[in-house]
Amino acid sequence: MAQPLVLTLACTDRPGITARVTGFLFERRCNILDAQQFNDRGEAGGSDRFFMRVVFDPDGSTREALRADFSALAGEFGMEWKMAREGRPRRTIIMVSKFDHCLVDLLYRWRTGELAIDPVAIVSNHPRESAIRIDIGDIPFQHIPVTPETKPAAEAQVRALADATDAELIVLARYMQVFSNDLSAHFAGRAINIHHSFLPGFKGARPYHQAHARGVKIIGATAHFVTADLDEGPIIHQDVERITHADSPEDLVRKGRDIERRVLAEAVRLFAAERVLMNGNRTVVFRG
């Protein structure tokens, strides 16, 4: 069997989309291996859009030929679409500050083949010796200091690095610098951040200490796309863990870091597998 392809699409909902897409693949002797769809019906406050993800065996047809043929159908329905090779590693820049637990987890999952990413650079606003305490092998590391005065120049460096490496994904693995509106817009739909809360939650410094002071019974983490609205981007994945009155602030920090690791890794996995589609301020996530 040839390497499967993944077709994702979104368009205004109307009758016949599924039939036309599956018919297109049938006519070219492609074998559908997995198919999921979602109709966000407008009467319930939805966007009245249709979303679909199809994995198929191209049966000898090239991706280029199928893309060229499908463009006519996509144009007819006004589709936003993509056709990618299943499992192809996404070129990824990982950004980190002084907390490297998410970075460590992402690299472990990448090295064991769990994440379909290709780390092309690690960026930190701190020197390597204070930002990273593990062996990153031959992954290029770039120290880009950020101060209020140097922020525009620092962000220009990040953009230039992304362009030079053809980065498809930017992961903020506890990177403690806020992107400007311009940089957020530049990386729209391909920059993922991890937030230390099951949003909405405690903002500002020492969030777990704030949570402890309020006697919360659940803590969590949220992975979301980066937007100009701080920590308000479309949510990709969330998880929580129950705690008790006996947990100290240090216990919350420890448990919180574990949640952050697994939530960010799952969001990256979903993105790399072409399972996340934008739906305005929300996302459609096809699980699997």
Side-chain angles (χ1 to χ4, degrees):
M1 184 177 71
Q3 182 181 23
L5 298 177
V6 182
L7 170 66
T8 55
L9 62 91
C11 61
T12 301
D13 194 15
R14 62 188 252 199
I17 302 173
T18 300
R20 292 290 300 279
V21 171
T22 55
F24 171 89
L25 296 174
F26 173 75
E27 291 165 4
R28 287 154 183 80
R29 302 180 59 82
C30 299
N31 184 30
I32 295 176
L33 306 176
D34 181 66
Q36 295 175 278
Q37 67 183 58
F38 172 66
N39 305 64
D40 191 13
R41 300 191 179 279
E43 65 267 17
S47 62
D48 200 27
R49 287 177 66 77
F50 175 85
F51 302 85
M52 191 173 192
R53 179 182 186 271
V54 183
V55 182
F56 63 94
D57 175 4
D59 190 40
S61 297
T62 66
R63 183 174 71 104
E64 292 70 22
L66 289 169
R67 281 176 53 86
D69 289 348
F70 190 78
S71 61
L73 175 60
E76 178 183 343
F77 284 88
M79 294 176 179
E80 299 171 7
W81 63 286
K82 181 188 295 186
M83 190 179 293
R85 296 181 180 86
E86 186 181 41
R88 181 183 64 82
R90 300 317 192 251
R91 297 176 63 81
T92 303
I93 292 176
I94 304 174
M95 304 184 71
V96 63
S97 289
K98 286 189 173 181
F99 299 108
D100 66 353
H101 53 287
C102 288
L103 169 68
V104 171
D105 188 69
L106 290 173
L107 294 183
Y108 173 79
R109 294 174 191 265
W110 160 63
R111 284 168 171 158
T112 58
E114 184 178 333
L115 287 182
I117 61 174
D118 176 15
V120 294
I122 296 173
V123 174
S124 180
N125 56 317
H126 295 282
R128 178 169 176 170
E129 57 271 16
S130 60
I132 301 176
R133 293 176 291 277
I134 62 164
D135 178 17
I136 61 173
D138 58 359
I139 303 173
F141 176 88
Q142 189 159 344
H143 174 212
I144 303 180
V146 182
T147 67
E149 295 74 25
T150 65
K151 188 179 184 73
E155 291 195 342
Q157 283 185 264
V158 174
R159 289 182 60 162
L161 178 63
D163 291 342
T165 57
D166 294 323
E168 302 165 87
L169 173 62
I170 314 296
V171 180
L172 277 60
R174 290 305 306 272
Y175 179 68
M176 307 305 289
Q177 292 291 323
V178 178
F179 278 8
S180 69
N181 291 353
D182 287 344
L183 194 63
S184 297
H186 181 74
F187 289 135
R190 58 183 177 126
I192 297 176
N193 187 31
I194 184 67
H195 191 276
H196 51 64
S197 177
F198 185 69
L199 290 175
F202 299 100
K203 299 181 182 296
R206 296 164 66 87
Y208 291 112
H209 290 75
Q210 295 181 52
H212 182 266
R214 292 286 298 275
V216 302
K217 303 306 179 189
I218 290 179
I219 60 172
T222 299
H224 61 90
F225 284 114
V226 174
T227 63
D229 295 324
L230 181 62
D231 297 326
E232 299 292 338
I235 293 170
I236 303 170
H237 186 58
Q238 295 179 292
D239 200 1
V240 296
E241 183 168 328
R242 295 191 178 277
I243 60 172
T244 74
H245 59 276
D247 286 308
S248 67
E250 291 72 26
D251 291 328
L252 269 63
V253 170
R254 173 178 55 80
K255 293 181 179 181
R257 287 178 178 172
D258 185 56
I259 304 172
E260 290 166 5
R261 284 195 295 263
R262 65 178 188 255
V263 168
L264 182 59
E266 177 64 3
V268 170
R269 184 190 73 83
L270 292 166
F271 180 92
E274 304 290 350
R275 293 183 175 275
V276 183
L277 281 69
M278 299 293 291
N279 185 19
N281 294 324
R282 298 178 294 156
T283 59
V284 172
V285 180
F286 290 119
R287 295 285 172 179

